[in-house]
């Protein structure tokens, strides 16, 4: 077992899904203790079974919760600290996919009249507010210890701006902007905030068989693990406010070189430099 993250405690939301399972595996393999959070109790039980040894020794904690509730997020963070002895890493991975509306959403795109206000509200609550709730619940402890990693899983800019891909894409764009803002807010504190994306369709249940895409050509969910582990390392801690495209990670290169090869600007920094502002520039 790699022990680079020994002594660290991580939370992964959406831990029982495609990316989540791989991230839990990778973090455990790197020596971290992991709190795996998900709304699906059955899949969490399966995850605990896969990692029975770690669950038995107290290195894996599973908890059924809904990130759309701030009270549940706060309770999950407190429970993690109590049972695992702290918190250092937060991976905001939990999200709803477009399959909630219908499974052929990629072959036959979704129009606005198919989206109810209740569905819209649920997507915003889970895919945007959930990450803010988890960050808000965790941040005081991360700042107090002067060490923390917040990693948000957003999506490609193409998906964010794609027509007929609501209500998935707008909250993901908001999450990207939130990550950029938090990176600036926490700069110099020892807490970094970055984004990791697959870079294209990934071989997870969020891209159903009805999509018609060749699954062998998709980004494997395991591709998310190397950039996340690197960002959690001491070397990766020198970077904040960036996005890392997992599908471009070169596994044959040294980790720092691989990270440089898949690093890209977060959000829309190139558009933010020249606001029309009274007196010149806004306060930092």
């Amino acid at each position: 077992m790699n022990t680079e993250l020994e002594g660290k405690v991580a939370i992964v939301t959406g831990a029982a899904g495609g990316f989540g399972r791989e991230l839990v595996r990778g973090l455990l393999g790197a020596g971290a203790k992991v709190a795996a959070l998900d709304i699906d109790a059955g899949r969490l039980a399966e995850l605990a079974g896969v990692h029975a040894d770690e669950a038995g020794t107290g290195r894996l904690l599973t908890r059924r919760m809904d990130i759309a509730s701030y009270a549940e997020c706060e309770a999950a963070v407190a429970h993690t600290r109590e049972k695992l002895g702290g918190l250092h890493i937060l991976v905001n991975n939990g999200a709803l996919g477009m399959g909630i509306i219908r499974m052929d959403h990629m072959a036959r795109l979704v129009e606005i009249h198919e989206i109810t206000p209740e569905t819209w509200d649920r997507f915003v609550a889970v895919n945007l507010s959930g990450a803010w709730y988890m960050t808000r619940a965790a941040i005081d402890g991360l700042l107090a210890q002067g060490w923390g990693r917040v990693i948000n899983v957003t999506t490609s800019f193409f998906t964010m701006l794609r027509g007929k891909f609501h209500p998935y894409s707008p909250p993901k764009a908001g999450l990207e902007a939130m990550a950029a803002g938090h990176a600036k807010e926490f700069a110099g504190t020892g807490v970094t905030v970055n984004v990791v994306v697959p870079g294209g369709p990934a071989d997870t249940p969020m891209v159903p068989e009805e999509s018609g895409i060749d699954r062998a050509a998709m980004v494997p969910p395991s591709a998310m693990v190397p950039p996340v582990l690197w960002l959690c390392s001491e070397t990766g801690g020198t970077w904040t406010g960036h996005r890392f495209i997992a599908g471009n990670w070169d596994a044959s290169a040294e980790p720092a070189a691989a990270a440089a090869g898949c690093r890209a600007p977060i959000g829309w920094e190139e558009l933010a430099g020249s606001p029309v502002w009274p007196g010149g520039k806004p306060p930092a």
Side-chain angles (χ1 to χ4, degrees):
M1 182 181 71
N2 178 357
T3 59
E4 186 171 13
L5 297 183
E6 188 171 2
K8 298 295 190 288
V9 176
I11 281 178
V12 179
T13 66
F19 291 156
R21 285 174 174 262
E22 293 295 330
L23 293 169
V24 168
R25 177 190 59 78
L27 288 161
L28 287 171
K33 296 179 182 179
V34 180
L37 311 181
D38 202 285
I39 199 168
D40 191 321
R43 292 197 302 177
L44 276 175
E46 293 175 8
L47 181 66
V50 169
H51 299 287
D53 290 345
E54 289 86 351
T57 58
R59 292 188 57 236
L60 175 66
L61 174 70
T62 59
R63 183 181 177 95
R64 191 268 177 199
M65 55 89 67
D66 183 359
I67 58 174
S69 163
Y70 180 68
E72 292 193 34
C73 292
E74 201 170 35
V77 168
H79 188 232
T80 298
R81 288 184 170 132
E82 176 189 354
K83 295 297 184 181
L84 299 184
L87 178 61
H88 307 89
I89 298 160
L90 171 62
V91 183
N92 285 313
N93 170 66
L96 291 176
M98 291 289 285
I100 297 296
I101 298 174
R102 51 180 166 76
M103 297 301 284
D104 65 344
H105 62 271
M106 295 192 78
R108 187 168 60 89
L109 297 177
V110 172
E111 297 182 358
I112 190 170
H113 66 265
E114 299 180 70
I115 306 164
T116 66
E118 293 78 15
T119 298
W120 174 271
D121 288 347
R122 182 63 181 167
F123 268 79
V124 173
V126 173
N127 292 12
L128 177 57
S129 296
W132 188 88
Y133 291 160
M134 288 300 302
T135 304
R136 178 63 182 85
I139 195 62
D140 286 350
L142 301 181
L143 292 173
Q145 69 197 11
W147 200 103
R149 305 286 190 266
V150 179
I151 299 168
N152 294 330
V153 177
T154 69
T155 192
S156 66
F157 293 146
F158 166 78
T159 300
M160 290 181 195
L161 301 177
R162 189 177 190 183
K164 299 183 180 181
F165 219 73
H166 294 187
Y168 179 81
S169 52
K172 285 293 188 177
L175 179 55
E176 182 97 8
M178 186 182 83
H182 281 166
K184 293 182 177 71
E185 180 176 351
F186 309 139
T189 67
V191 177
T192 65
V193 184
N194 290 283
V195 162
V196 176
V197 301
D203 188 12
T204 74
M206 275 202 183
V207 182
E209 295 294 339
E210 290 85 346
S211 69
I213 300 174
D214 179 7
R215 304 204 79 82
M218 295 182 190
V219 178
S222 59
M224 299 289 283
V225 175
V228 167
L229 292 185
W230 184 80
L231 285 168
C232 293
S233 71
E234 292 302 324
T235 302
T238 61
W239 292 96
T240 193
H242 293 266
R243 71 182 349 238
F244 294 80
I245 302 170
N248 290 339
W249 182 277
D250 182 359
S252 68
E254 290 296 318
C262 75
R263 187 169 59 245
I266 196 171
W268 307 272
E269 292 290 342
E270 70 279 10
L271 304 177
S274 302
V276 178
W277 196 271
K281 292 185 177 181

